[in-house]
Amino acid sequence: MSAPSQNAGFLKQATITAVFIAVLWGVDQLLQIGLNPYYVRVVVNCGIAAILALSLNLINGCAGQFSLGHAGFMAVGAYVSATLTTVYPAGEFFQSPLGVGVAITIGGIVAALAGYLVGLPSLRLKGDYLAIVTLGFSEMIRVCFLNIPAVGGARGMNGIPVHSSFFWVYLWAALAWVFFWRLLRSGRGRAILALRDDETAAEAMGVEVSHFKVVSFSLSSAFAGIAGGLFAHYQGFIDPQSFDFSRSVLVVIMVVLGGMGSLSGAVLGAVVVTVLPESLRVFESYRLIIFPLVLILMMLLRPKGILGHREIWEFFPRRAK
Amino acid sequence: MTPPVLEVQDLSISFGGLKAVAGFGLTLRPGALEGLIGPNGAGKTTVFNLLSGVYTADSGRFVLDGADLRGFSAYRISHAGIARTFQNIRVFSHLTVLENVLVGFHQSIRYGYWDAFLLTGRFRNDEAAMEQQALALLERVGLASRAGDNARDLPYGDQRRLEIARALATHPKVLLLDEPAAGLNTVEKEQLMGLIAKIRDEFKVAILVIEHDMKLVMGICERITVLDHGEVIATGTPKEIQSNPKVIEAYLGVS
């Protein structure tokens, strides 16, 4: 490929990015004026859920491992970033929107390190056993935060600067999408998908299976941590209860419901699992029965998830060129 | 005489009290096409598992181009230049045929994560080049027209040929084929054996093949090693093997 066409490629990417950011900012402004704050909250929660589902999809859907501890990584990102902005150093910089962005990024990096640690047992464990270890780890994280007075203990943390918004959440969600999309379409992504299908064969083809298991745990946890940071700085309040077992399960449900290994499936699952309980509010407490029933029915009718392994656009016939 | 590309000496492994392979030895010269035969349970696949790093031998050594690879993990052995196919087919079933072969190119990837995220020229060039090579390999085994299909949708025989193409993508010096013709009909078997002989010539790779069909093994292999109860009981040209009383005994039993 010649140099000019490369530059053109970069120019095109930069233009698309700029237009996307502009549109996102515009929509953000419109939402603030035009939409009921309750709906805005649901839409933003969908975005946070989408980041969580996209990231868990890498472990559970693509690498073929089973993590039941995504809330733990989310907690790491949330607490680390909130500590930076609220407890220490909490200066003027970390209270500003840019500082919050930096804090959220640092939260993601720390979560990635935690993911690396949890990824290590995945080298020896599979399936249910791995799920139990990841579950145990996320509970450990939660109990740790529960017992650190500096971050509020059981009372949680108050007064976190609210600087994440529709704009920031969906910017990160788009970044997560592009990140995982391009990862899966590169040689490294193929290696991860190959180890899901057959570890022995992947290793025989020169893929360092243990390396890629740990890499997928780290990359996935990084984005879970970022989702946690966004969550903390959107709510303005976090407590250990926000990151309990049921949140981990909800993220697994999103991935399984949408279709394991499908990026658009993960997003769809995130939206369904976030919106469905809200839309069932008319049934009052009965929604706690109806929501699981709907999930059970969906899994009975489509055991592979709504989209299966495929992406959403693969269901529509291609337009002739 | 050219020096051997693969030299196996005294390779042994036990599982519990069972000596699965004992004192296995073999010498492959570059471009050789040799057979490994033996009755069921003789330890043929175990030998392949040792040579490809699925198991680590208790003792002995196997030297590829001067480097002893015993104790290396499977991916490092693959990088060193020993590739294999599997008796019970192990294609990556949810990947396309083309992607299966691309996984074989894993160790040739030079671009980093950032190249993939920013879609740099380096990433695009490398991917395009790999794709071209992968398609050429598929063309060679007659699967180019199915490059976009899911690997699990291929018929049995095609999956076996896909495994061969995938193994060739790792640029092997030695190719281990574990019953490549199992489950094929007579015509398909003959085509496959012809293909294997051609691959040996074109890719300058030494091939060791496990096969049950005596007629085929005798037809294409220059030398044959016979294994029984984990031990080598005979080595030689097909003619020598056919008339070896030990071999006849192993297959037919003592009368």
Side-chain angles (χ1 to χ4, degrees):
Chain A
M1 216 183 280
S2 61
S5 77
Q6 267 180 45
N7 289 341
F10 273 119
L11 212 61
K12 197 175 149 199
Q13 281 192 57
T15 317
I16 292 172
T17 312
V19 169
F20 178 78
I21 290 174
V23 169
L24 212 55
W25 188 80
V27 174
D28 192 5
Q29 298 303 308
L30 283 177
L31 283 180
Q32 281 180 25
I33 308 161
L35 197 62
N36 174 334
Y38 163 69
Y39 289 118
V40 176
R41 186 159 285 271
V42 174
V43 169
V44 170
N45 283 338
C46 279
I48 293 172
I51 300 174
L52 286 170
L54 280 171
S55 57
L56 185 68
N57 182 49
L58 185 69
I59 300 178
N60 286 23
C62 302
Q65 308 300 302
F66 197 102
S67 169
L68 206 49
H70 224 47
F73 304 120
M74 190 188 175
V76 171
Y79 269 96
V80 167
S81 60
T83 305
L84 286 172
T85 55
T86 321
V87 182
Y88 182 85
E92 202 176 313
F93 171 71
F94 273 111
Q95 303 272 346
S96 70
L98 178 68
V100 167
V102 172
I104 288 173
T105 311
I106 294 173
I109 293 168
V110 177
L113 292 175
Y116 175 81
L117 290 178
V118 180
L120 293 177
S122 78
L123 306 179
R124 292 190 154 266
L125 300 171
K126 275 188 184 136
D128 309 347
Y129 303 100
L130 179 61
I132 290 166
V133 168
T134 53
L135 166 62
F137 184 82
S138 80
E139 283 298 292
M140 270 164 59
I141 292 177
R142 194 175 65 80
V143 173
C144 279
F145 290 128
L146 196 63
N147 288 293
I148 301 176
V151 293
R155 277 176 295 118
M157 287 173 85
N158 270 310
I160 303 168
V162 178
H163 278 308
S164 78
S165 58
F166 172 86
F167 174 77
W168 286 110
V169 167
Y170 277 82
L171 193 62
W172 275 109
L175 190 71
W177 174 280
V178 173
F179 182 90
F180 290 116
W181 180 262
R182 291 192 176 167
L183 173 70
L184 291 173
R185 270 144 199 81
S186 76
R188 267 82 186 191
R190 278 195 301 269
I192 289 171
L193 291 167
L195 85 87
R196 168 190 67 191
D197 280 357
D198 195 317
E199 275 183 33
T200 309
E203 185 101 18
M205 291 304 117
V207 174
E208 193 182 350
V209 168
S210 48
H211 171 78
F212 282 98
K213 280 186 185 172
V214 176
V215 161
S216 36
F217 260 95
S218 307
L219 294 178
S220 170
S221 309
F223 277 93
I226 281 162
L230 290 166
F231 173 79
H233 292 86
Y234 184 68
Q235 306 279 339
F237 165 78
I238 50 171
D239 65 351
Q241 246 49 56
S242 325
F243 310 103
D244 64 358
F245 176 53
S246 65
R247 186 175 293 271
S248 291
V249 173
L250 275 182
V251 185
V252 173
I253 291 175
M254 291 169 197
V255 174
V256 175
L257 186 73
M260 306 266 265
S262 157
L263 291 191
S264 46
V267 173
L268 189 65
V271 172
V272 170
V273 171
T274 312
V275 172
L276 201 57
E278 298 295 335
S279 60
L280 292 174
R281 276 192 194 277
V282 284
F283 299 106
E284 295 175 0
S285 354
Y286 289 108
R287 74 194 165 93
L288 298 176
I289 299 170
I290 297 170
F291 177 56
L293 268 181
V294 171
L295 293 179
I296 292 169
L297 270 178
M298 280 173 112
M299 291 325 288
L300 282 176
L301 295 174
R302 281 195 81 93
K304 280 185 171 174
I306 301 173
L307 301 183
H309 274 292
R310 299 195 280 174
E311 296 296 343
I312 197 161
W313 47 90
E314 290 170 33
F315 287 84
F316 304 102
R318 285 232 183 101
R319 276 168 294 169
K321 275 185 185 169
Chain B
M1 270 233 301
T2 48
V5 59
L6 179 70
E7 206 169 6
V8 186
Q9 287 168 353
D10 208 26
L11 215 57
S12 304
I13 187 171
S14 308
F15 299 111
L18 176 78
K19 257 199 174 307
V21 173
F24 181 82
L26 179 90
T27 304
L28 274 185
R29 302 204 171 275
L33 176 46
E34 301 199 2
L36 182 62
I37 65 170
N40 283 328
K44 305 181 295 289
T45 297
T46 308
V47 167
F48 272 24
N49 282 338
L50 290 173
L51 294 179
S52 61
V54 176
Y55 302 144
T56 301
D58 298 332
S59 64
R61 52 193 225 124
F62 63 104
V63 179
L64 182 79
D65 265 352
D68 186 2
L69 300 181
R70 187 174 76 93
F72 278 39
S73 49
Y75 80 93
R76 285 180 70 192
I77 288 178
S78 162
H79 290 199
I82 299 180
R84 70 171 295 182
T85 65
F86 294 89
Q87 183 181 0
N88 46 340
I89 295 177
R90 286 175 178 271
V91 294
F92 304 122
S93 48
H94 292 96
L95 301 187
T96 65
V97 171
L98 180 67
E99 284 166 341
N100 263 270
V101 181
L102 286 172
V103 172
F105 284 111
H106 183 75
Q107 53 174 304
S108 330
I109 294 173
R110 292 287 166 264
Y111 59 79
Y113 284 94
W114 290 110
D115 291 306
F117 298 137
L118 301 174
L119 298 183
T120 61
R122 192 178 182 192
F123 169 78
R124 290 182 217 210
N125 291 343
D126 285 11
E127 281 286 299
M130 275 195 291
E131 208 172 301
Q132 218 163 18
Q133 290 177 48
L135 279 171
L137 282 176
L138 285 175
E139 184 79 54
R140 194 65 209 83
V141 300
L143 287 174
S145 61
R146 309 214 55 174
D149 295 351
N150 265 332
R152 62 165 171 225
D153 296 336
L154 292 185
Y156 200 71
D158 287 357
Q159 291 195 6
R160 290 214 175 273
R161 283 186 290 159
L162 172 58
E163 276 209 354
I164 295 176
R166 189 179 68 176
L168 284 171
T170 65
H171 302 296
K173 294 168 189 159
V174 173
L175 182 58
L176 310 173
L177 301 175
D178 197 347
E179 295 199 30
L184 304 187
N185 66 37
T186 320
V187 182
E188 286 173 328
K189 272 187 187 178
E190 269 167 20
Q191 284 174 345
L192 185 79
M193 287 299 167
L195 176 70
I196 290 171
K198 273 188 203 153
I199 283 172
R200 186 264 307 260
D201 297 338
E202 280 176 34
F203 293 88
K204 313 281 181 231
V205 58
I207 298 178
L208 182 62
V209 51
I210 296 177
E211 185 47 61
H212 269 302
D213 192 317
M214 284 304 140
K215 215 179 100 199
L216 285 170
V217 182
M218 301 287 171
I220 66 162
C221 295
E222 293 133 7
R223 287 178 68 79
I224 291 170
T225 301
V226 189
L227 212 58
D228 190 28
H229 296 300
E231 290 180 40
V232 176
I233 56 167
T235 315
T237 62
K239 246 200 186 130
E240 289 164 4
I241 295 298
Q242 268 169 325
S243 53
N244 188 316
K246 270 186 170 172
V247 177
I248 296 167
E249 191 190 311
Y251 271 89
L252 301 176
V254 200
S255 57

